[in-house]
Amino acid sequence: LMNCVVKYPQLWCEEGKIVSVTGKVKSKTFNAIGELSSITVNDTLIYPGDVFSEENEPAIGNKVKVTGLIYSFKGPMNLGEFDKKAYYGNRKQFFYMNALKCVVRDSSYDLFKEKLCQLRRSLCSKVMRYCLLEGGTVNTLLLGDKSNLSQERRDLYSGAGVAHFLVISGLHITAIGAFIYKLLRRLGLKCAVASGFALSFLIAYGILIGFSVSVLRAIVMYFVRILADVLKEAYDMLNAVALAAIVVTLIYPRMVTDSSYIYSFTTVISIAVYEEFLKPKRKKKGFAAAIRERFFLW
């Protein structure tokens, strides 16, 4: 259905042909030892190979010309196989390239994003140095970096049915934002100032870890919450999640078919419906009543 509404662009040349791609570096990823593993230029995911080193590594925002072998992501060949075309296409990456040469055309770059990228790289390295046993898990939970997470740990969490524990969810974002906001309010800052600091920190944190669907949804919903506090209005969770869905869909229109989009919004909408329509208005006193309320046995 989404292919009919928003079609995936087709590769303009033969698969594996040597071509050049010119554009700005949008993002970078690193491997387990901190080496550059990929960059994104326009809608192309570029694997550097031996082209980039620490001396000539492009910064986020640099205008570069990359020459290499280009391919398009393929869909699943067998039923149940991982769909690379849908996964990367949902994130606006439609082609990939094995780089043979890279030339920086414009040395100006996005200072803020590049510093955050290097901060994430440095933090991942320090975590792996001081957390010898669970460094990969800590990096996954705090920085959204799974490059250091061993396959043994992945299988362990998947086998226990708690693989979602390894994803930075909206709960992380809401908890961090609420902590910063309440701390600043206790320090005597005005509501508007504290809200501005909390929201700015969340946006910077979102850029640091990468704006996944759940992170973007949580930030939009938290913005609505603090805006309601500033304006002295009641916070409506259903309206907030509806606004978040509109924002996420406008930014990533293909994400509506992605499991992360479906699970994230289904969960939050379920909670909002329960809070608005199903939760008992009259609270009963006593330990037994509290237990029944927690398990929806009223």
Side-chain angles (χ1 to χ4, degrees):
L1 178 61
M2 279 302 298
N3 287 337
C4 299
V5 179
V6 185
K7 293 185 177 181
Y8 291 99
Q10 299 296 318
L11 188 61
W12 65 92
C13 62
E14 297 179 3
E15 296 279 342
K17 187 175 181 179
I18 298 179
V19 298
S20 296
V21 174
T22 302
K24 289 187 176 181
V25 178
K26 295 168 61 177
S27 62
K28 300 192 294 185
T29 61
F30 304 94
N31 59 21
I33 59 176
E35 296 177 342
L36 184 69
S37 60
S38 71
I39 64 173
T40 301
V41 178
N42 299 335
D43 56 3
T44 305
L45 184 65
I46 298 174
Y47 299 108
D50 298 328
V51 174
F52 300 130
S53 62
E54 292 185 4
E55 291 75 20
N56 66 349
E57 179 185 309
I60 296 177
N62 277 161
K63 186 176 182 180
V64 297
K65 179 180 180 182
V66 185
T67 303
L69 306 173
I70 195 167
Y71 304 88
S72 58
F73 288 108
K74 304 299 182 184
M77 300 295 292
N78 302 306
L79 184 64
E81 185 181 350
F82 177 61
D83 191 345
K84 284 187 176 182
K85 182 177 181 180
Y87 178 83
Y88 288 103
N90 292 344
R91 290 152 181 81
K92 299 183 179 181
Q93 297 171 327
F94 306 108
F95 316 108
Y96 68 95
M97 173 185 284
N98 296 324
L100 301 174
K101 182 181 179 182
C102 178
V103 178
V104 178
R105 291 290 188 85
D106 187 356
S107 59
S108 60
Y109 63 97
D110 190 323
L111 179 62
F112 181 64
K113 289 185 177 180
E114 178 63 21
K115 290 298 183 183
L116 285 178
C117 181
Q118 296 302 330
L119 175 62
R120 183 185 186 188
R121 188 180 191 175
S122 176
L123 289 175
C124 286
S125 176
K126 285 181 170 58
V127 168
M128 293 304 298
R129 185 186 308 168
Y130 296 110
C131 299
L132 300 179
L133 296 179
E134 293 294 343
T137 305
V138 174
N139 276 334
T140 302
L141 292 175
L142 294 182
L143 302 170
D145 182 8
K146 296 183 179 180
S147 61
N148 297 295
L149 188 64
S150 65
Q151 188 62 43
E152 179 185 358
R153 282 289 181 268
R154 294 172 189 262
D155 296 339
L156 180 63
Y157 284 105
S158 298
V162 291
H164 59 279
F165 178 71
L166 298 174
V167 178
I168 296 181
S169 65
L171 179 62
H172 294 72
I173 302 300
T174 304
I176 294 172
F179 172 77
I180 294 174
Y181 175 70
K182 291 182 179 180
L183 176 63
L184 294 177
R185 289 286 290 156
R186 285 185 175 275
L187 293 176
L189 271 68
K190 294 183 178 179
C191 181
V193 178
S195 301
F197 273 111
L199 187 61
S200 299
F201 180 86
L202 290 183
I203 292 174
Y205 184 61
I207 296 174
L208 177 70
I209 63 177
F211 273 111
S212 64
V213 169
S214 58
V215 171
L216 184 56
R217 172 195 58 74
I219 290 178
V220 173
M221 292 184 67
Y222 189 74
F223 168 75
V224 176
R225 176 183 286 276
I226 62 176
L227 182 63
D229 287 344
V230 172
L231 299 178
K232 306 299 181 183
E233 299 287 346
Y235 171 70
D236 188 340
M237 192 174 182
L238 280 173
N239 283 329
V241 71
L243 177 62
I246 293 172
V247 172
V248 174
T249 305
L250 288 176
I251 297 176
Y252 298 107
R254 294 180 179 84
M255 273 292 186
V256 295
T257 62
D258 196 90
S259 59
S260 61
Y261 183 101
I262 296 171
Y263 290 147
S264 180
F265 281 99
T266 300
T267 302
V268 177
I269 290 173
S270 300
I271 296 173
V273 170
Y274 168 73
E275 288 286 336
E276 185 68 25
F277 301 108
L278 302 178
K279 188 176 181 179
K281 304 300 181 182
R282 181 181 172 185
K283 292 187 177 181
K284 300 177 181 180
K285 296 182 179 181
F287 180 75
I291 294 297
R292 286 197 298 271
E293 183 179 344
R294 292 294 181 272
F295 287 92
F296 310 151
L297 301 174
W298 57 86

